[in-house]
Amino acid sequence: PPGPGGPTVVPDGRAMASDQQVADARHAYHAACNRYESTGFCDCVTAGVAQALAPAEVRIAARTIGERIPAQGDAASAGGTADATPNAQNSMQRIEQIEGHYADACQQLRR
């Protein structure tokens, strides 16, 4: 179980899926990110997101990135509903948490 107030991070996307599934999800996320941000920022965020989220969540993040990434660092997004992750935390909450963390860490590379 997660510690109080701490993020719940999946050990590695490849622990739950094949290298090809991880790569496919990562490429989709990176392509979606590039519609909104610089390549350097997207390289940075994609590396963290693909490592910390399951490929299914990375694909959800890719489809919904335009709802979050332009505002990351400004305020938390209102979120939506999605499939629950194995630890019963809502996928959109995990995506927002992980993506927000890496968007902050990669801030200097933004457009």
Side-chain angles (χ1 to χ4, degrees), residues 7-14 16-17 21-22 24-30 32 45-46 48-65 68 80-99:
T8 301
V9 178
V10 175
D12 186 294
R14 290 182 297 172
M16 297 166 286
Q21 290 170 313
V22 171
D24 290 347
R26 181 184 181 119
H27 291 299
Y29 183 87
H30 193 275
V45 172
T46 300
V49 166
Q51 172 97 19
L53 296 174
E57 289 175 321
V58 176
R59 287 189 298 276
I60 291 168
R63 287 192 305 268
T64 59
I65 194 168
R68 290 178 318 281
T81 56
D83 297 333
T85 56
N87 64 6
Q89 187 178 17
N90 179 290
S91 289
M92 288 308 296
Q93 291 170 327
R94 282 183 46 74
I95 290 165
E96 289 173 9
Q97 178 184 28
I98 298 297
E99 191 176 67

Side-chain angles (χ1 to χ4, degrees), residues 29 32-33 36-37 41-42 45 64-73 99-100 103 110:
Y29 183 87
C33 181
Y36 302 95
E37 290 291 341
F41 176 83
C42 291
V45 172
T64 59
I65 194 168
E67 300 168 14
R68 290 178 318 281
I69 206 72
Q72 286 290 7
E99 191 176 67
R110 289 193 103 143

